[in-house]
Amino acid sequence: MLEMVKGANVGLASLSEDIGSVVLSLAWCSTTGDGDADVSVLLLDANGKVRSDEDFYFYNNPAAADGSVQLLGKTPTADGSEDRISLDLTATPAGVDRVVVAASRYGAARFGDLDDLRITIADRSGEALLGFSITDAGVESAFIFGELYRRGDEWKFRAVGQGYETGLAGLATDFGIDVDDASEEEPEESAAVAEPSAAAADSQAAESPVPVPAQAAAPDAAPEAVPAKPRRPRTAKKKVTLPQTPKKSLAENDAWRQARLFPASSLKNDREREMRATSVLLSVMAQVPEFGRRLTAAFGAPAGHMQTFTEVALPHGDTPKRPDGVIRVERAGKLWTALVETKTNGNALKPEQVQDYMDIAARRGYEAVITLSNDVALEGKPLVDVKIDGRRKHKVTLWHLSWAEVTHQAQMLIRHEGVGNAAHAWLLHELLHYLQHENSGCHGFQNMGPAWVPVRKGVEEETLGQDDPRAVQVVESWEQLVRQVCLRLGGELGQKVLPVQRAKRGTDPQSRRVELADQFCESGRLNAEIRIDGTPGIIALIADLRTSKLRTSIEVPAPEQGYPLAWAKRLVRQLAEAPADLHVETLVQGEGRGPRGTLERLRPEPGDILPKDGSPIVAFRLSLLKGVGNTRGNAESGFIRSVDDAVDRFYANVVAHLESRPARVPRPAEAPTAG
C-alpha cells in the first residue's frame, strides 16, 4: 500500500487494474472512546463548485440515484471505527471534475480531540491501494481528507488535509452549497399557516425546511401567493419518525393469521430454511434497488441492473457444484458476478465448500464469493480460511454478511431513511417479517459456542487458568454478541450504534483478544462499551460470571455551569420514568468516591447524592443490574437473551430520557471563517 504525504498525488491506474469502483475508508479513534465524525462527499465541476445542491452527499443525502456515490456507514475496528464510502468512478457524470471527500464533527467537538485521522482507498476487490494520515489536526470541526480528480481519461487522488473551523456548513458553502441555516425547531408562527388538510400540512412541513409565514388576507381580497422557497440541504440531521401504528385488524379473533408474501411457518428443516432464505433475500435485492445496492456496494459491485439466481449448477471436476445463489450486476455491457453460500439456524460454514466456490469463481472470472450466516465476522479473523492461488491473474474476494447486518440495513431503509416507492417499502416490510419469524433461522448470532459452558463453569469454580485457549473463544463470541446488539439497536433506533474499542491503531486484533482473555480469566468479567449517537455518554456493559449479574451503566457528565443541587434535581426529574432500583453514584475529582444510592431513595431527597465535603462533581454514574441466563444462549432464559434484554431495558428506561447532545453542526451565522 502506498503511503502518501500532504499535497502528494497519484494516478489510481498505476496502483491497480481494477479501479472502476473504489471504497474509501475514513478512520479515527479516541482515548475516551467517545469521539465520532460524519463523512461527506461533494461532486465539483471544472470551476470548483457543485453543479447543484444534489451534488452534496452527507447523512441527509447518503446516495446518488446513479450509484456513483454511496455512504456505506460506520464499521467498528480494533481501535475505533471507520466510515466507508463507495465511489463508482465509471458512473460519475461527465460534468464532474473533482470528488471531494470530507468529514465533520458537531457541537464543540474538534478534530484535534481525535487520534489517528486517516483515509485509505481500496479497489473493487478490497485490496488497499493507498493511505494518508492527518497529523496536524487542531481546532477544526471539518476536514477535507482528500480528493479524486480527472486528468484526461485517468482518475488521480490528492492528499489534501485541509481543515475548517466553520464545520460542515462552512465547508459546504465554500463549494457553492446553499445551506439552510434555519433552526431545526420550527417557530410557533409556522403553525398558523392556512392548511387545506392535515396531510397537506405534513407534506408542506416535509418539503419546506424553512418556516412559511401566515398570510393576513383582507376580507375582500384574495391572499397573495407566497412563492415556494427552494429546498436546500440542512446540515442538521433531519428528523425521522417510525411507521404509524398498524391499522386495526379485521380478523375475527387472534387465531387468524395475515397472509404473507414470504411464509415461514411451514419450514421443517435446515435445507428448506437455507433455500427459502436465499431466494427471499436475493429476490428483494433485485426488486428494491436501494436495498440491493446497499448490500453489494461494499463488496465492490457497480451500480447497475441487478439480477439474482438460485440453485445454479456450475461445472467443477466430475461433479457440478450448486451455490445457494448468484448475483449479477450489469453496467455498460460489463458483468459483476458473485456466488452466494448461505447458512441458517446457527449452522457453520464449511471451509471445503467455500473453497470450491472460490476456485469456480476464479476459473470463470467472477469477482466475489459472499458467505451469509448467523455469525458476525470479526476483524482479523475470517470465518473460513481459504487458499488463494497467487498465480491466477484474476482476483476473487471472499466477503461475509451476517443475517443481523441484512436485517439492520432493511430496518434502516424501511423505518428511517425511506425507499423509492410504496411497493418497495411493502417488499422490505415483508422481508423483515420473514427474517424475524421464529422459523426462518435468520435471527443472527444465537450461541456462545462450545467453550462457553466449560469456561463459565471454570469461572464459577475458580479453576479457569491463564492462557486457556477456550477463554479466547469466549471473548470472540462476546465480541460477536456485542456487535450484533449494536446492529439490532441501531436498526431499531435509526441511529449509529457502535462498540467502542480502546486500542492503539495498528494493534493486531487477535493479540488484543488474547489480552482481553487474560483479563477475563483473572476477573471473571466480560466487558464492553457501546456508543449510541445522540446520547450523553457511553453505555458500559459488564457480565460478571462469578456473581451471574449483568451491569449496564452510563456516566452523565456534570454540567459546566449551575449549582450541584440543581444538577441533582434535574437529573432526578429526567429519570422520572426510570426503574426505582436504578443505582446512582456521584463521581468526584481525584480518587475518592462520592455518595451512592437507589433512585427510589433519592427521589424525595435529590441532595443526598451530593458529597458532604463539597468535593467537585465530575459525573453521575447510572447503573442497572440484571441476572444472567444459565443456558447456552439459544433459549429465552439464555445468556444472549439476557444481554439483549439488559441493553434494551437500560436504553428505553434510562438513556432515552437523558438530555441528548447538542445539534449536529453550528449554523453558518455562528461560525468564524474557514481555515
Side-chain angles (χ1 to χ4, degrees), residues 567-579:
W567 303 344
K569 290 181 177 179
R570 184 164 66 243
L571 180 63
V572 170
R573 285 197 302 270
Q574 292 178 46
L575 299 172
E577 303 299 324

Side-chain angles (χ1 to χ4, degrees), residues 183-207:
S183 169
E184 272 197 276
E185 299 297 329
E186 306 290 355
E188 293 181 1
E189 294 84 56
S190 64
V193 179
E195 45 186 26
S197 68
D202 289 343
S203 174
Q204 183 186 52
E207 292 300 322

Side-chain angles (χ1 to χ4, degrees), residues 403-464:
W403 286 112
E405 291 174 273
V406 173
T407 300
H408 170 82
Q409 296 295 356
Q411 285 179 314
M412 291 300 293
L413 280 172
I414 186 60
R415 294 181 177 175
H416 306 289
E417 297 172 10
V419 291
N421 59 52
H424 291 172
W426 179 71
L427 280 173
L428 282 175
H429 183 270
E430 288 296 298
L431 173 65
L432 270 178
H433 183 273
Y434 177 86
L435 294 175
Q436 295 170 345
H437 193 282
E438 60 183 4
N439 288 347
S440 70
C442 304
H443 304 125
F445 179 74
Q446 294 176 290
N447 198 299
M448 291 295 287
W452 174 246
V453 171
V455 165
R456 183 165 179 174
K457 186 176 181 180
V459 169
E460 292 171 351
E461 298 175 351
E462 299 187 11
T463 59
L464 186 65

Side-chain angles (χ1 to χ4, degrees), residues 21 38 42 45 49 87 116 120 189 307 335 376 445 452 489 548 551 557 576 578 597 646:
S21 178
D38 291 304
L42 298 99
D45 59 18
K49 301 292 184 181
L87 297 180
D116 301 325
T120 58
E189 294 84 56
Q307 288 189 1
L335 284 174
V376 179
F445 179 74
W452 174 246
L489 196 58
S548 294
R551 176 185 291 270

